[in-house]
Amino acid sequence: MDNVVLLGIMAGAMTTGSIVPQVLKIVQSKSARDVSTLFFMIMAAGMLLWLIYGLLRQDFVIVLWNALSLSLTLVILTLKKVYS
Amino acid sequence: MDNVVLLGIMAGAMTTGSIVPQVLKIVQSKSARDVSTLFFMIMAAGMLLWLIYGLLRQDFVIVLWNALSLSLTLVILTLKKVYS
């Protein structure tokens, strides 16, 4: 695996991984009042487009992380619906 | 400009643009209690790595949007510091 792919895997682990503490914070506080629904809705739509972009550019790293991020974002939107 | 680049520009406009309502929500409510600092700190570090990834892959679209997203994320972290 070349260094650029490795860097992309690290980059994605951080940007996708960063969503996890936000999920946990909402679950623990049972509150998502200050979390913007619009933020996560537009984010989800954008991630879907990045996923297609990655497929078209055959950039496996982009596809992998955007598929995962999209899933986590949908979890947050569901929690926002449940707790708001 | 080919269609793949255009798709990348749309994708980035959405994922980066999605940060704007979160900034506005914090400014309007003067509250960022439910916003996770850890989320945005790891996100910022990841965006910096994506920016380097984009530079190494010579993917202009990745560089452009991650530079902008990183700036907006730093604004949110500053607001969180001010309002929490």
Side-chain angles (χ1 to χ4, degrees), chain A residues 1-12 57 59-62 65, chain B residues 49-59 62:
Chain A
M1 197 183 297
D2 71 63
N3 289 338
V4 179
V5 173
L6 211 67
L7 180 70
I9 288 175
M10 280 172 60
R57 286 204 57 147
D59 188 327
F60 168 74
V61 172
I62 298 283
W65 291 121
Chain B
L49 292 190
W50 276 123
L51 205 152
I52 301 166
Y53 175 82
L55 286 171
L56 292 175
R57 285 203 58 148
Q58 298 187 297
D59 188 327
I62 299 283

Side-chain angles (χ1 to χ4, degrees), chain B residues 14-49:
Chain B
M14 293 175 92
T15 47
T16 299
S18 70
I19 305 173
V20 177
Q22 181 66 73
V23 174
L24 294 177
K25 192 175 180 78
I26 295 171
V27 170
Q28 278 164 1
S29 67
K30 296 199 193 316
S31 166
R33 205 190 48 186
D34 301 334
V35 171
S36 168
T37 305
L38 199 57
F39 171 102
F40 286 105
M41 279 180 68
I42 305 173
M43 186 72 100
M47 284 162 176
L48 186 65
L49 292 190

